[in-house]
Amino acid sequence: MNLSLYGYDGHWIAVDCGMMIRQDLPDLPLQIPDIEHLAANAMVPEAIFITHGHEDHLGALAWIWPHWGCPIYATPLAVEMLRIKFLEQGLKTDALKPISPGSRVFSAPFEVTFLPVTHSIPESCALSIVAPNCRVLHTGDWKLDDRPVIGPAISASQFQALAPVDLVVADSTNADVEGHSRSETEAADALEAVIGACTGRVVVSCFASNIARIKALGRIAERCNRRVALLGRSMERMVSIALRLGYLDDFPPRVPTHDLGYLPAGEVLIIATGSQGEPRSALSRLAQGRHPAIDLEPGDAVIFSARAIPGNERLIERLKNGFKRLDIQIHDENSNPALHASGHPAREELRQLYAWLKPKLLLPVHGEAPHQEAHQALATSLGIQVPLLAQNGALLALENDTLVMRSQYHLRPRLIAARVRPGERQVPISPRHQPRSLSIALTVLPTQTGWTRVGRLLWDSDTTLPLDEDALADWLDQRIDAIPAETLLQLRQQLFTPLREWLQDRLPLLPELHLQLMPADPQPEYEVRSASSR
């Protein structure tokens, strides 16, 4: 989650403070860094520096910052993203300090300079951190892109001016990939070629933060005579911020989602969230035929313009299977690798950066252990010392021209309910309005490995229930997908009790539950029955 602390003579600063969505847990909670040990060890930062606006680098600050209350320095795009998060949590935004790339900030005894780099979100910066007798470069996420869609290419001279540095704390995400990462312009060219050959509706899924990709899709839509629509709250929010900051001044007018059904299929280009298979995303709803604004039809196409994040493979495969059942064309990195450009450096780019910086030491960060090991091997071949590979919670000291392990803190997962706001409580149900029954109807489809839910979730109760329909739908999708039942009757038998327990944990009073399972393609071998229980 990319929270790093740097200390000197009892003074501390923090770099980044991200979160992750735990898609392996029910209700998809957020996980944020564990900071309980910091105050006890006098390691509370006096300032926070944000390298860029990705959620895994700033997403936890709305929960972490109240423990510290210090200034937060970030570029304007990241500040706007943080401002929204702070306001949602009822926090003041006075601590947010916009910083232009290239600027320098002093937080004694540290001198921190924001060095602009290219990445998959604008205004990304590496940080030059200078303390007495010590020069460190914290790369953040970066790549070398000679043809970026937004902003200038990296200036070699700004890094050459730092040489030699004592330590580079460096991105290892693609350190096991030989060669050079693809330019964002090359990805745009590949997208235009595929979209230009499509005849039906086109849905392109990418990360909402990839403003350069969204800008390129706007240009492609105009050249291919298509109208642009956005699906997904995070996509709409990010485009709104980018418009305010001037990054999408030439973006074409957007079609409201409720008007999409009136346009000829060949004139529609939809930019949607959900490339990682997130159950609540717009793309997932399209794959299940339960998006309220539009239904895809045979002949339409879905383009995945994003790399699969490790751990999301099963969710993405389930998403693609949903589109295959609808006879939708799928274009992804397997069919055309150029549809996506990574935001992280491959080995040739790492070699170039180290030729500029001439670092004495390297600490590989980001990525998994194999990526950091590959980074270590590459640096060693270049004559750069890599004294150790750190784990989360490690306290390292830079002394006597090397890195040494001082201590290892054992961190505990901190989970935040994704839909809970501070002070939010469920409304109690009075005895006069106690629910007597809850009816749930699902349409399911047999697959090679079991069953999957399709269409809209239908439920009804004789009184108002504090039931999160999205959370229920997510849970049902995950549970049904994991049940190896051969018949609908077996599926119902294995689903009913866990569903009842799930509802019991979330409702003040459990009503009588009626569960109806309906096959999408009724066949005699699939027995349809309902179940009820108090």
Side-chain angles (χ1 to χ4, degrees):
M1 292 167 283
N2 300 315
L3 169 60
S4 303
L5 270 74
Y6 291 88
Y8 185 92
D9 193 27
H11 297 275
W12 292 86
I13 59 173
V15 173
D16 291 337
C17 187
M19 63 85 173
M20 60 186 292
I21 299 175
R22 291 295 300 269
Q23 301 200 65
D24 58 329
L25 295 176
D27 298 340
L28 310 180
L30 308 179
Q31 182 171 341
I32 65 175
D34 177 11
I35 63 167
E36 289 187 1
H37 62 289
L38 296 180
N41 291 278
M43 296 166 63
V44 176
E46 298 165 15
I48 303 169
F49 297 86
I50 302 298
T51 61
H52 64 284
H54 278 150
E55 290 291 327
D56 61 332
H57 288 257
L58 58 67
L61 262 181
W63 287 275
I64 300 295
W65 175 83
H67 296 276
W68 297 339
C70 57
I72 301 169
Y73 298 97
T75 54
L77 177 61
V79 164
E80 287 306 306
M81 297 175 66
L82 286 169
R83 191 185 310 279
I84 292 173
K85 292 178 179 294
F86 274 41
L87 292 175
E88 285 180 344
Q89 300 295 336
L91 301 175
K92 293 183 178 180
T93 60
D94 299 348
L96 301 177
K97 311 295 183 183
I99 294 295
S100 300
S103 298
R104 185 174 302 168
V105 177
F106 292 91
S107 179
F110 299 100
E111 175 188 314
V112 181
T113 305
F114 285 74
L115 304 173
V117 296
T118 45
H119 183 44
S120 53
I121 186 171
E123 301 179 3
S124 296
C125 290
L127 299 179
S128 168
I129 304 173
V130 178
N133 304 313
C134 180
R135 300 166 64 89
V136 175
L137 182 79
H138 185 107
T139 69
D141 292 353
W142 67 284
K143 64 183 289 188
L144 293 180
D145 189 341
D146 293 332
R147 296 187 297 157
V149 172
I150 292 178
I154 283 182
S155 167
S157 60
Q158 69 177 357
F159 291 103
Q160 291 170 333
L162 301 175
V165 298
D166 297 299
L167 171 68
V168 178
V169 180
D171 182 359
S172 307
T173 306
N174 282 343
D176 59 342
V177 178
E178 194 52 73
H180 198 290
S181 64
R182 187 175 292 109
S183 169
E184 194 63 40
T185 297
E186 186 179 348
D189 293 341
L191 284 166
E192 184 166 1
V194 173
I195 293 170
C198 292
T199 57
R201 296 181 188 87
V202 176
V203 180
V204 180
S205 184
C206 61
F207 292 114
S209 60
N210 197 331
I211 297 172
R213 194 79 46 88
I214 295 168
K215 184 182 182 74
L217 288 168
R219 294 172 176 172
I220 292 168
E222 291 185 318
R223 289 195 286 263
C224 295
N225 297 314
R226 290 179 179 268
R227 304 285 298 279
V228 174
L230 307 177
L231 290 185
R233 192 176 77 163
S234 61
M235 181 69 69
E236 293 172 352
R237 174 182 289 183
M238 184 58 69
V239 168
S240 176
I241 294 174
L243 284 167
R244 290 203 305 270
L245 294 176
Y247 286 115
L248 296 176
D249 285 343
D250 58 349
F251 200 72
R254 281 129 36 222
V255 177
T257 55
H258 57 266
D259 288 342
L260 282 173
Y262 300 104
L263 292 176
E267 296 181 10
V268 174
L269 174 61
I270 298 171
I271 309 175
T273 56
S275 62
Q276 301 306 304
E278 300 95 324
R280 292 178 179 171
S281 68
L283 201 64
S284 180
R285 298 179 198 281
L286 287 172
Q288 295 172 0
R290 55 188 180 94
H291 195 282
I294 189 170
D295 292 320
L296 297 184
E297 300 172 348
D300 294 341
V302 173
I303 301 173
F304 287 81
S305 185
R307 178 184 181 183
I309 296 175
N312 293 342
E313 293 85 358
R314 189 175 181 218
L315 290 169
I316 296 171
E317 189 60 31
R318 184 172 69 187
L319 182 65
K320 292 179 179 178
N321 287 339
F323 288 122
K324 290 175 183 177
R325 287 191 296 271
L326 297 174
D327 198 20
I328 305 299
Q329 302 173 37
I330 296 175
H331 304 271
D332 58 17
E333 59 184 347
N334 296 320
S335 61
N336 188 345
L339 290 172
H340 175 58
S342 173
H344 301 274
R347 293 169 70 87
E348 190 57 39
E349 293 156 273
L350 293 170
R351 293 187 185 99
Q352 180 63 76
L353 178 68
Y354 300 149
W356 293 337
L357 292 173
K358 300 183 177 4
K360 302 174 185 176
L361 303 170
L362 169 74
L363 177 65
V365 295
H366 305 345
E368 305 296 332
H371 306 110
Q372 295 177 8
E373 292 168 359
H375 201 170
Q376 180 183 38
L378 173 66
T380 301
S381 71
L382 298 174
I384 303 169
Q385 298 180 49
V386 188
L388 47 82
L389 298 179
Q391 297 181 343
N392 287 333
L395 178 61
L396 312 178
L398 176 57
E399 55 187 28
N400 299 323
D401 294 326
T402 191
L403 281 175
V404 295
M405 176 78 73
R406 282 281 183 85
S407 57
Q408 177 73 49
Y409 296 100
H410 299 286
L411 309 181
R412 297 176 297 178
R414 281 201 61 198
L415 301 179
I416 304 292
R419 290 176 171 263
V420 170
R421 302 295 181 204
E424 194 175 78
R425 295 188 302 177
Q426 288 185 330
V427 178
I429 298 177
S430 68
R432 294 178 57 188
H433 298 91
Q434 289 185 8
R436 292 187 297 272
S437 66
L438 170 62
S439 299
I440 297 177
L442 312 174
T443 302
V444 293
L445 186 71
T447 66
Q448 293 181 347
T449 57
W451 298 82
T452 189
R453 186 177 71 87
V454 296
R456 291 175 173 83
L457 169 66
L458 302 176
W459 66 278
D460 186 43
S461 175
D462 54 5
T463 189
T464 302
L465 291 177
L467 185 61
D468 186 335
E469 183 175 336
D470 288 338
L472 173 59
D474 295 345
W475 181 88
L476 286 168
D477 290 340
Q478 296 174 16
R479 189 76 188 192
I480 292 172
D481 187 55
I483 295 177
E486 295 184 0
T487 68
L488 204 59
L489 176 60
Q490 293 176 353
L491 176 63
R492 176 191 58 78
Q493 291 172 336
Q494 296 182 56
L495 178 63
F496 185 80
T497 299
L499 174 58
R500 188 176 184 276
E501 293 173 349
W502 188 90
L503 292 167
Q504 192 168 21
D505 290 341
R506 287 158 179 81
L507 297 177
L509 293 170
L510 181 67
E512 180 180 1
L513 175 62
H514 301 273
L515 176 62
Q516 178 91 22
L517 300 186
M518 302 171 291
D521 298 312
Q523 298 179 34
E525 62 267 31
Y526 301 129
E527 183 180 358
V528 182
R529 292 188 180 180
S530 64
S532 64
S533 174
R534 292 187 182 277

